[in-house]
Amino acid sequence: MPGLRAQQSATEKPKAEPVVIPIPAIPGVPAMNEPRRPAAVFPTAPGPGVAMPGFTLPGTTATSSKAERIRPEFQPGNTYRFVVKTELQLGGGEGFTMEQQARYDAKVRVDGKPGIVLKARTERLDLTFNSRGTTLTYESLKPEDQETPLGRHVRATMNRLVDLTLDDRGRIDASVTSGGGDETALLPDVPKFGPDELEQLIAGLFQGFSEKRVAPGDGWSLQGTRQIGEIGALTFDLSCRHAGSVSFEGQNCLSIEYAGTLAGSLPDAGAAPTTVEVQTTSLSGRVYLDPLDKMVRHAQQSIDLWITRPAVGEEPPVQTPVRQITTLRLLHVVPTA
């Protein structure tokens, strides 16, 4: 994320760690919480932190430690599998849930520049749409779901492969999509799934991390823009904090917490060329980084916002409340077969 500056810190008290319901994996793929190695040991002496009321990571304890560079790092020759679940709740009981398992094979960047190349693909995709009292579902591992209109729509783009070229800060330099499906099966006004989600997962993976060395209790801020698929971008302003260490799934991880705002204008797909205004009322997140695998092991973000459509003729502006909760899990890191 571009743009950061140091901020002051203050002490916060630890709370009990929340119960996190596991996200299921694809059959036959071992989960990350299987025994793999001894846990790393971190000191637990309390230290200073940034005062961010309401956004303290439960179960975290600031530690006395020297400053270090903390951010995810993909290692060439390894395969990374993530499971990400996105829940979108709209006004009037409408909503959308997506659960995706994504595979990334890390390879050396051969153009002489620092960074990594990720060969990405979706291995599993489950969808649920709730609209006007009707529920539509799709599961990519269910044979009976593949030839429904929704199934054919999803398969038209889901199985595309994506080559992502990342710089040494985790930013995407290039994205190349290959493969495809039956474009005639695409349904009007239904989102496409596949390459965009694979790219957005990586963009979100590095969110909240400082580009400078930080120690437990240190705080920093990040400002910039966040691309929203192909339709536009929103500006963000985040306050972040290194909250020490936390035990998660039997391993000690470093925890990052953040809170802030997301705002801007996006094209209104239903009434082009007008735009809608987006403004958050609440945005918070937490990230657990496994220092042994050098990768995010768990991340959760919650956003409450209003989407405001402008007045049309004598009709007043229309405001729609939206809540989005995104949960990401690292399933495992294994040598690429």
Side-chain angles (χ1 to χ4, degrees), residues 55-302:
F55 301 112
T56 302
L57 279 181
T60 60
T61 302
T63 63
S64 58
S65 176
K66 64 180 182 180
E68 58 184 334
R69 189 173 185 267
I70 300 174
R71 63 188 304 110
E73 294 181 19
F74 286 96
Q75 303 297 318
N78 282 343
T79 291
Y80 299 78
R81 281 187 171 93
F82 298 93
V83 179
V84 60
K85 183 176 183 179
T86 301
E87 301 171 86
L88 194 66
Q89 302 170 13
L90 307 175
E94 298 190 354
F96 162 74
T97 300
M98 179 188 74
E99 188 168 289
Q100 176 192 31
Q101 179 162 307
R103 169 176 174 161
Y104 297 87
D105 296 337
K107 299 187 176 184
V108 175
R109 186 166 173 167
V110 296
D111 59 4
K113 297 180 180 180
I116 200 81
V117 173
L118 300 176
K119 300 188 73 66
R121 66 175 182 262
T122 297
E123 295 185 317
R124 175 174 67 87
L125 188 69
D126 297 342
L127 303 170
T128 301
F129 295 91
N130 293 310
S131 178
R132 300 177 182 178
T134 300
T135 299
L136 295 176
T137 63
Y138 169 80
E139 295 182 25
S140 62
L141 298 183
K142 273 189 175 183
E144 60 268 30
D145 283 1
Q146 306 315 302
E147 296 306 321
T148 65
L150 179 58
R152 291 194 296 271
H153 169 89
V154 173
R155 289 193 295 111
T157 54
M158 187 192 81
N159 295 322
R160 291 179 177 172
L161 306 179
V162 183
D163 284 356
L164 299 172
T165 302
L166 277 59
D167 67 13
D168 58 345
R169 296 164 63 186
R171 297 177 302 186
I172 298 175
D173 277 350
S175 175
V176 179
T177 302
S178 60
D182 182 7
E183 295 282 342
T184 64
L186 293 175
L187 299 173
D189 301 324
V190 177
K192 301 176 184 178
F193 301 95
D196 281 350
E197 285 69 31
L198 292 170
E199 187 169 337
Q200 289 173 19
L201 189 155
I202 296 301
L205 198 65
F206 292 86
Q207 180 169 284
F209 290 94
S210 173
E211 295 179 9
K212 295 182 179 179
R213 293 177 176 270
V214 293
D218 285 349
W220 59 95
S221 64
L222 299 170
Q223 300 85 29
T225 59
R226 180 69 182 272
Q227 190 68 27
I228 308 298
E230 299 179 351
I231 62 175
L234 298 175
T235 60
F236 64 84
D237 190 342
L238 301 178
S239 295
C240 311
R241 173 180 179 256
H242 183 341
S245 65
V246 59
S247 178
F248 183 75
E249 295 183 341
Q251 298 296 322
N252 281 343
C253 297
L254 302 177
S255 61
I256 303 294
E257 63 182 6
Y258 60 87
T261 61
L262 186 70
S265 300
L266 294 174
D268 187 349
T274 62
T275 60
V276 296
E277 296 297 321
V278 179
Q279 179 65 57
T280 54
T281 57
S282 173
L283 186 159
S284 63
R286 63 183 183 220
V287 181
Y288 296 160
L289 180 79
D290 188 325
L292 296 185
D293 281 326
K294 297 182 179 180
M295 185 49 59
V296 171
R297 201 158 172 208
H298 171 72
Q300 187 169 49
Q301 178 177 270
S302 177

Side-chain angles (χ1 to χ4, degrees), residues 7-69:
Q7 293 185 337
Q8 290 184 333
S9 58
T11 304
E12 295 188 14
K13 297 181 180 179
K15 299 179 182 179
E17 183 178 352
V19 176
V20 181
I21 300 175
I23 298 175
I26 188 172
V29 175
M32 185 66 175
N33 57 7
E34 293 183 358
R36 58 190 178 101
R37 48 176 163 64
V41 178
F42 291 85
T44 57
V50 172
M52 296 172 62
F55 301 112
T56 302
L57 279 181
T60 60
T61 302
T63 63
S64 58
S65 176
K66 64 180 182 180
E68 58 184 334
R69 189 173 185 267

